[in-house]
Amino acid sequence: MTADRLQTYGPTAALLALAAVFAVLSPQFRTLGNLQNLLDAGAVLAVVTIGATYVLLLGCIDLSAAGVMGACALAVSLLVANSRTALDLGPLGVLLVVALGAAFGCLSGALSVGLKVPSFMTTLGVSAIGLGVATVLFAGVQPAVSDPWLLQWASGRWLGFTRVTYLAAAVVVLAWLVQRHTRLGRYATAIGGGEDILRLSGIQVGRYKVGAFTVAGACYGLAAAMVTAQLGSGIVQAGAGLSFAAITAAVVGGTQLAGGRGGIAHSMVGVLILTVLANGLVLIGVSPYVQRAVQGVIVVVAVGATLWPLRHRLEVVK
Amino acid sequence: MADAARVAGLRGRLAARVPERRHVVVTAMPVTAFLVLLAALAVASPALLETGSLLTLADSAAPLTVLAAGATVVVLCGGIDLSVAALASLASVLLASWVPALSGAAVPAVVAACAVAGAVQGLVHVAFRIPSFVVTLGGMTLWSAVALLASGAATVPMPDSTPTDWAFTRLGGLVPSAVLVALATVVALAALMRFTPLGRWVRAIGHAEPAARLAGLPIARVKVIAFALSGATAGLAGALLVARTFSGAPTLADSLLLPAVAAIVVGGTAITGGHGALWRTLVGAGIVTLLRVGLSYAGVDAAYESILYGVLIVGAVALTIDRSKLSIVK
Amino acid sequence: MIEVSGLRKAYPGVVALDGVSLQIRPHEVVGLAGENGAGKSTLLKALVGLVRPDSGTIRIRGREVRLRGVAQAATEGIGMVFQEQSLVPNLTAAENILLGCEGSAVRLGLYRWRRLRELAQAQLDKIGSRVDPMARTETLSFAERQMVEIAKVLAIEERTRAQPVVLLDEPTSVLEAEEIETLFGQIERLRKHASVVFVSHRLDEVLQVSDRVYVLRGGQVAGEVDPATAGAAGLHRMMIGAEATGSHYHDDLHRPPERSSVRLSVRGLCGEGFTDISFDLIRGEVVAVAGVHGSGREELCRALFGARAVTAGQVLIDGEAVSLTGPRRAVRAGLGYVPSERKVEGVVSAMSVADNMTLPYTRPQDVEEWIGRLRIKTPDRRTPIGSLSGGNQQKVVLARWLLTGSLRVLLLDHPTRGLDVGAKSEVYRLIRELAAAGVAVLLLADSLEECIALSDRVLVMKEGRVTVTLDTPPGAKPDPVDVVKEMV
């Protein structure tokens, strides 16, 4: 029970402690302006992490965010008003790109379920495919976005926050509701808790697995549009490092790799932890490469911490 | 009743034969694919069959082969090492910066350092019971961050290339030394697997870890050794890359991760562990290299290469995987 | 309700069901009794579609059906409460009860929690359970979870509009006495809604709750018993059948153990599943550990081999303390272990006979000699062990521990499970020979008969402790019924 409680409140406590430490160390960290920066900086990671969380709830893992986001970033920058194509689809372009992301997610899920291949392999493959598609679309010339509507996502502010941040907040709430109150969300959680039991109850598990992967892909598509709005152009590396950062955030927040535990709320605490850490380290003058190293270590530590109470029960770990 | 018994008996015998059939398919396919590719390329461009261009082709495959060779041992254990490419990049940075001080001893020092890095990952994996792909994913991020820090995110030129000249020369003006290094690496690892208990133990752990454990095998030690070997070959692959670019760079080898994983699985080594061999990775690296060259001959944009790796990895894993071991696919 | 006739199911090397025929009538509690491997589990699995029989028919309410899975069995009105519980731990009790058939509780993919709660409550009310339907399942006690499980099975009533048949597979094995009484109360309530099939190895329980008892033996129905007239002893004799002869167990090879020299000494051993275990094994002695599922004997056996954590206590072999930190240390100390799950834990199926035999050793061994000495039937040493019969696979596992000549204590966990009669006898012969050579053997037998026939002594374990020690020398074997009395 204490271990259970630790996993529920531990991440929140860590977040508060981290914020307190940085607030003491850096006067700049304490400003309102920094809070705005912090949330704006965390918006994209939050949306990607939502996607990753749905897949983690199943007990699967999704390494495809980097590739899918690359392809979607290029696609969105070519679909809205831009420097390379004559297209000017505006909001429809963004919708199409979310659908493209969903299609990639659906592919990962279908390959994993249909071919019975572990998800880290299929998503690694799909990530490579996404990067390839991105490179093909890139074709050596970086498309600059000129659609004012999309660009305003990142530039215009309302009550101090960009639209990207509001959008991310809306997605968080929606994703939380879906996870709690829809069949997709509940079954995704249940699959992580005991896939074999669901099969015994005659539930078509594969369908819901593919569904969760599809939701994840859609999140990556939206995140790619958000990144593109922030950068003002479509780049292949739009999602570089985000697959890993999202998994780190989710796991640090208390969503477990084994599936069925945690969820959107937990993962968002993890996103805040990572964002505060990145922001605070910059403010106290630590190299961004050190932050990357820290990220590599904390995911291992976080997974280790969640598995530690179970170490005697797990006989085989691959 | 008797009929039913006969049918059941027949089914039993068929089931026993399945592993053999699987074995034939998995053995024949990579070799056939390799030969077919070679033949197709030769038809498309007869000049390719000249010794010179074949050797150049082999030379270009050498770093990939070395990188994939050590990682194959980890895969045979049933794990995976996603950190090899990042570690090779780090090795290139370390080598370029250590050569001024250590000169000839720099290469062994880097290989040893990478072996230690691999062993640390293995230790974390077995001691904290964290899945290998998580540990090595974390390792990948960590090593590339260390490489960026050590190099200041810039290319590190090597002031004096003599300590690595041996790895980028042509013996008798013809045979690329890197090809020999790659072959020697594969042969050495294969010999280690064939003539010491390590090979039997790695396979047993890959096939059936519970049985291996209850037979009293030193599971933790074998896994740590496998990861150390993987680290060491990553270091050597980094050295081969430095030898041909005369410099180290923090992302020099990063693009080799997908081709390396592809080489392992396309050769027929199953990611579920147990099934597979070192020579398969040699064939796999050959297939990956031929496909890459073939695409450029066919005039396909290099941008499609990544798509190819993605399809290859998923396809090959799907063909070689041992599904009897996965009751639930995660 | 259900009529089974001539049901047959064979696995490679063993016939699990050999022409089973029986009937289950409305509002009836039918007991199934039989030893391990008698076919009880296979029969239940066939009734819920988890096992497809090779031949024979299942008729439900007069109509012949071919069951393809639990879901289809549910639509026919058959549900099973599994031995290992089948509830998703991180869902609420209500979700588990209605899993896969939420009906009006989910509209357009959206959960209507209030409706879900009502529907689940209705199922719980049927058995008078006071479990909170909105509690997360993992926070409930074992007995409460069992109630949820029964409620879940009863929910199939809603789907068929016919009276359901509930199969209970060893539901009492992990329950306390009080909880068992509650469960029996539930079974009485169930009778109003359903027919019940009750499986337990505790014969007194079977007799107490059942209207009729079928006894299974070797995959066949050995007889039908009326609980009103039969006693546990009679039931047990029917389960065992004709007494096997001494030659089956190679009694002629038996040598009295050397009383003076202690081989294995266990002092106050504690761990998960067992507490304060102390006993000695002397050279050449075969000691069997008897106990029901959950008695802790499997856990003890694995702990002695270093494959499970030990919290306190000491183990000595020939007077020297042994470190129990892992199987490798145990092997070094002269221990050998033959696990019950042969295919998963005993052998590496894809590797050769020779590799399997020499697995833990670094130096080459004389494999051919041991293939000959143990009469292992294999084309050659390079044959994958997976293609051998179960008995020959088991001999390879035994050879693994014999071939260095340094074996001092052998732990046998159900060494004859799934073997045919001839192969069993071969394994018995090997055990006798080993004991005669001075090895101390700790045996978890597959059947009570085997346990008594093969051993010099029997340790009875109950709830994690050794409660009684019985001497079982040749010629003075106790009655199995007396041993059963100590076990439950």
Side-chain angles (χ1 to χ4, degrees):
Chain A
M1 211 62 219
T2 47
D4 201 28
R5 201 165 286 176
L6 190 69
Q7 274 171 13
T8 310
Y9 300 110
T12 315
L15 173 63
L16 294 177
L18 208 56
V21 170
F22 283 128
V24 171
L25 290 179
S26 156
Q28 220 189 318
F29 184 84
R30 299 193 290 261
T31 61
L32 182 66
N34 190 51
L35 182 68
Q36 292 168 351
N37 285 342
L38 208 142
L39 290 180
D40 285 345
V44 172
L45 180 60
V47 175
V48 178
T49 306
I50 288 167
T53 301
Y54 270 91
V55 176
L56 285 172
L57 277 176
L58 300 173
C60 298
I61 198 151
D62 192 344
L63 302 177
S64 72
V68 174
M69 282 182 70
C72 289
L74 261 300
V76 77
S77 59
L78 294 173
L79 287 172
V80 301
N82 68 88
S83 61
R84 269 188 43 205
T85 61
L87 291 171
D88 180 11
L89 299 178
L92 179 61
V94 173
L95 268 183
L96 282 176
V97 153
V98 172
L100 176 66
F104 270 111
C106 186
L107 178 66
S108 300
L111 286 173
S112 186
V113 170
L115 298 176
K116 289 194 162 193
V117 170
S119 53
F120 82 94
M121 268 290 157
T122 55
T123 54
L124 200 64
V126 167
S127 184
I129 294 171
L131 281 179
V133 169
T135 318
V136 170
L137 291 176
F138 182 70
V141 190
Q142 185 164 313
V145 174
S146 54
D147 186 319
W149 177 77
L150 185 59
L151 289 174
Q152 253 201 346
W153 278 25
S155 56
R157 280 175 188 273
W158 187 60
L159 292 180
F161 296 106
T162 60
R163 289 190 193 177
V164 164
T165 307
Y166 288 110
L167 190 57
V171 175
V172 169
V173 172
L174 183 67
W176 184 78
L177 289 173
V178 167
Q179 183 214 323
R180 299 277 296 199
H181 299 296
T182 70
R183 184 170 262 162
L184 178 69
R186 294 307 293 171
Y187 277 9
T189 313
I191 289 171
E195 186 176 336
D196 42 349
I197 300 169
L198 268 77
R199 273 186 210 285
L200 275 181
S201 304
I203 293 165
Q204 287 179 316
V205 173
R207 200 193 287 174
Y208 294 96
K209 275 186 154 178
V210 175
F213 274 98
T214 308
V215 169
C219 287
Y220 305 152
L222 182 64
M226 289 161 67
V227 172
T228 308
Q230 287 172 339
L231 296 174
S233 55
I235 62 166
V236 177
Q237 294 83 14
L242 276 174
S243 293
F244 186 65
I247 291 166
T248 308
V251 171
V252 167
T255 299
Q256 292 188 14
L257 273 186
R261 305 292 149 124
I264 302 296
H266 287 83
S267 295
M268 289 308 113
V269 174
V271 169
L272 288 176
I273 290 178
L274 283 201
T275 315
V276 165
L277 196 64
N279 176 278
L281 288 177
V282 168
L283 289 181
I284 60 171
V286 176
S287 148
Y289 305 130
V290 173
Q291 289 176 33
R292 220 172 133 172
V294 168
Q295 216 178 71
V297 174
I298 46 181
V299 73
V300 175
V301 172
V303 173
T306 55
L307 292 179
W308 189 248
L310 304 170
R311 67 193 178 285
H312 294 304
R313 251 174 277 165
L314 301 166
E315 295 222 323
V316 177
V317 177
K318 290 286 181 184
Chain B
M1 205 69 143
D3 272 353
R6 215 175 305 140
V7 168
L10 195 64
R11 252 186 232 143
R13 251 174 294 155
L14 279 177
R17 215 179 286 163
V18 168
E20 289 167 40
R21 199 178 350 153
R22 183 203 129 84
H23 186 72
V24 172
V25 170
V26 172
T27 303
M29 274 204 350
V31 177
T32 316
F34 178 75
L35 294 176
V36 167
L37 272 174
L38 196 61
L41 272 178
V43 170
S45 151
L48 189 83
L49 278 190
E50 286 162 26
T51 329
S53 38
L54 269 185
L55 285 171
T56 307
L57 206 62
D59 189 33
S60 73
L64 173 65
T65 311
V66 173
L67 190 66
T72 307
V73 182
V74 175
V75 174
L76 284 174
C77 276
I80 190 138
D81 190 346
L82 296 175
S83 74
V84 282
L87 199 51
S89 300
L90 174 60
S92 79
V93 170
L94 291 183
L95 184 58
S97 25
W98 288 357
V99 156
L102 299 174
S103 81
V107 173
V110 163
V111 170
C114 289
V116 170
V120 168
Q121 295 186 109
L123 267 176
V124 172
H125 165 53
V126 295
F128 299 98
R129 311 198 134 268
I130 303 173
S132 57
F133 81 89
V134 176
V135 176
T136 56
L137 207 56
M140 176 168 106
T141 314
L142 179 62
W143 307 137
S144 81
V146 173
L148 284 165
L149 277 173
S151 65
T155 303
V156 185
M158 211 165 38
D160 169 23
S161 72
T162 33
T164 58
D165 276 348
W166 56 270
F168 191 52
T169 178
R170 290 198 173 226
L171 295 177
L174 187 67
V175 184
S177 58
V179 173
L180 296 180
V181 172
L183 285 178
T185 308
V186 172
V187 169
L189 283 176
L192 194 67
M193 297 285 284
R194 177 77 181 74
F195 298 110
T196 71
L198 186 73
R200 250 186 315 137
W201 289 352
V202 163
R203 260 170 234 283
I205 292 170
H207 277 304
E209 190 169 328
R213 195 168 97 93
L214 291 177
L217 264 52
I219 308 268
R221 217 181 312 156
V222 171
K223 284 189 172 178
V224 172
I225 289 173
F227 277 93
L229 287 174
S230 181
T233 58
L236 187 59
L240 291 186
L241 290 172
V242 171
R244 53 189 65 195
T245 56
F246 306 108
S247 61
T251 57
L252 185 63
D254 286 7
S255 62
L256 285 181
L257 174 62
L258 286 172
V261 175
I264 295 169
V265 296
V266 167
T269 297
I271 56 150
T272 34
H275 301 283
L278 264 307
W279 67 263
R280 294 180 169 282
T281 300
L282 198 62
V283 175
I287 293 176
V288 168
T289 307
L290 284 179
L291 274 174
R292 207 178 55 211
V293 173
L295 281 186
S296 68
Y297 265 111
V300 178
D301 191 342
Y304 288 91
E305 237 175 66
S306 181
I307 301 181
L308 171 78
Y309 294 140
V311 173
L312 266 188
I313 287 177
V314 177
V317 169
L319 281 174
T320 57
I321 202 166
D322 184 353
R323 291 190 177 77
S324 66
K325 242 179 274 173
L326 302 165
S327 55
I328 291 177
V329 181
K330 288 270 172 158
Chain C
M1 288 291 289
I2 298 183
E3 189 172 355
V4 173
S5 60
L7 216 57
R8 199 188 135 82
K9 175 75 191 175
Y11 295 105
V14 62
V15 180
L17 292 179
D18 192 4
V20 169
S21 302
L22 47 79
Q23 293 90 39
I24 299 156
R25 297 170 200 141
H27 301 289
E28 182 184 50
V29 179
V30 174
L32 276 185
E35 293 213 273
N36 285 334
K40 295 174 306 212
S41 294
T42 315
L43 176 61
L44 291 188
K45 282 182 183 163
L47 286 176
V48 287
L50 286 175
V51 162
R52 277 181 223 177
D54 300 330
S55 60
T57 58
I58 300 172
R59 301 171 85 80
I60 300 173
R61 296 178 199 92
R63 198 165 46 83
E64 184 175 337
V65 288
R66 288 192 179 278
L67 297 170
R68 280 189 199 78
V70 174
Q72 198 205 339
T75 61
E76 299 287 352
I78 305 179
M80 175 155 160
V81 177
F82 292 87
Q83 202 171 344
E84 62 281 10
Q85 291 191 340
S86 63
L87 298 175
V88 184
N90 56 349
L91 294 186
T92 60
E95 282 173 283
N96 267 304
I97 290 170
L98 300 168
L99 193 64
C101 44
E102 290 86 356
S104 60
V106 179
R107 275 286 154 80
L108 301 169
L110 285 171
Y111 272 62
R112 297 159 70 197
W113 290 102
R114 198 176 300 159
R115 181 86 189 116
L116 190 80
R117 185 192 183 118
E118 285 166 12
L119 288 176
Q121 191 66 56
Q123 300 305 327
L124 287 166
D125 285 345
K126 277 188 206 165
I127 49 169
S129 167
R130 276 194 290 275
V131 173
D132 174 13
M134 300 317 272
R136 212 154 31 114
T137 312
E138 62 199 338
T139 63
L140 302 174
S141 73
F142 189 91
E144 285 174 322
R145 291 205 299 271
Q146 196 149 39
M147 294 298 120
V148 174
E149 189 117 26
I150 293 173
K152 178 182 170 182
V153 168
L154 279 182
I156 62 175
E157 217 173 14
E158 254 62 27
R159 274 200 265 181
T160 54
R161 293 205 179 75
Q163 204 190 71
V165 177
V166 177
L167 315 179
L168 301 168
D169 187 12
E170 303 272 10
T172 58
S173 54
V174 239
L175 293 186
E176 304 287 332
E178 215 171 295
E179 293 169 333
I180 292 174
E181 279 312 309
T182 323
L183 178 73
F184 287 175
Q186 305 302 346
I187 291 176
E188 278 310 305
R189 271 175 206 267
L190 265 183
R191 190 200 289 277
K192 295 189 199 104
H193 299 271
S195 304
V196 179
V197 177
F198 181 82
V199 176
S200 172
H201 48 240
R202 303 186 187 181
L203 300 181
D204 48 341
E205 291 176 2
V206 176
L207 291 171
Q208 188 186 336
V209 297
S210 310
D211 300 320
R212 280 185 305 134
V213 179
Y214 284 106
V215 178
L216 290 182
R217 187 174 68 221
Q220 291 175 325
V221 175
E224 196 185 317
V225 173
D226 179 3
T229 56
L235 202 59
H236 189 262
R237 252 178 274 288
M238 200 181 248
M239 277 162 59
I240 298 180
E243 293 282 326
T245 57
S247 71
H248 182 55
Y249 290 103
H250 299 277
D251 279 352
D252 51 317
L253 295 172
H254 182 264
R255 300 282 172 275
E258 305 162 34
R259 282 285 152 212
S260 52
S261 55
V262 173
R263 263 253 119 119
L264 174 79
S265 185
V266 180
R267 294 275 157 269
L269 208 64
C270 299
E272 203 184 311
F274 55 89
T275 325
D276 195 21
I277 305 285
S278 298
F279 62 89
D280 286 340
L281 249 65
I282 50 186
R283 287 176 73 102
E285 189 180 32
V286 178
V287 170
V289 185
V292 298
H293 181 81
S295 64
R297 57 178 190 152
E298 278 93 358
E299 289 83 354
L300 170 67
C301 191
R302 287 178 92 93
L304 286 175
F305 195 60
R308 270 183 86 95
V310 166
T311 52
Q314 204 186 11
V315 172
L316 304 133
I317 292 185
D318 290 341
E320 276 174 56
V322 182
S323 152
L324 295 178
T325 49
R328 190 158 185 80
R329 292 270 171 90
V331 172
R332 290 245 169 92
L335 277 152
Y337 175 55
V338 177
S340 56
E341 296 293 326
R342 187 177 55 246
K343 281 180 198 143
V344 188
E345 299 187 333
V347 299
V348 183
S349 310
M351 290 173 79
S352 70
V353 168
D355 280 342
N356 268 285
M357 208 185 279
T358 62
L359 210 49
Y361 311 113
T362 48
R363 263 178 248 123
Q365 308 283 345
D366 196 349
V367 174
E368 303 289 349
E369 187 200 329
W370 285 92
I371 290 178
R373 271 171 73 171
L374 300 192
R375 301 180 212 158
I376 298 170
K377 291 196 194 72
T378 171
D380 61 49
R381 51 181 292 173
R382 275 178 220 90
T383 307
I385 196 168
S387 62
L388 267 53
S389 73
N392 285 304
Q393 289 185 12
Q394 200 67 305
K395 285 195 221 167
V396 174
V397 177
L398 279 165
R400 181 190 292 160
W401 304 126
L402 303 183
L403 48 67
T404 58
S406 59
L407 181 70
R408 296 195 268 188
V409 178
L410 184 60
L411 309 167
L412 298 170
D413 188 354
H414 297 88
T416 56
R417 178 173 284 178
L419 303 188
D420 61 37
V421 179
K424 277 185 185 177
S425 186
E426 290 264 282
V427 171
Y428 298 148
R429 179 175 61 85
L430 279 171
I431 295 173
R432 292 282 191 216
E433 286 174 359
L434 276 172
V439 174
V441 179
L442 191 75
L443 171 74
L444 308 191
D446 207 32
S447 68
L448 202 52
E449 178 194 321
E450 184 180 295
C451 165
I452 294 166
L454 219 53
S455 61
D456 295 295
R457 264 192 304 153
V458 174
L459 304 178
V460 179
M461 274 185 80
K462 196 170 155 184
E463 284 156 19
R465 290 171 188 273
V466 174
T467 48
V468 186
T469 305
L470 303 163
D471 280 318
T472 55
K477 300 284 183 191
D479 192 310
V481 177
D482 295 335
V483 181
V484 174
K485 262 187 215 140
E486 304 292 346
M487 281 161 61
V488 297

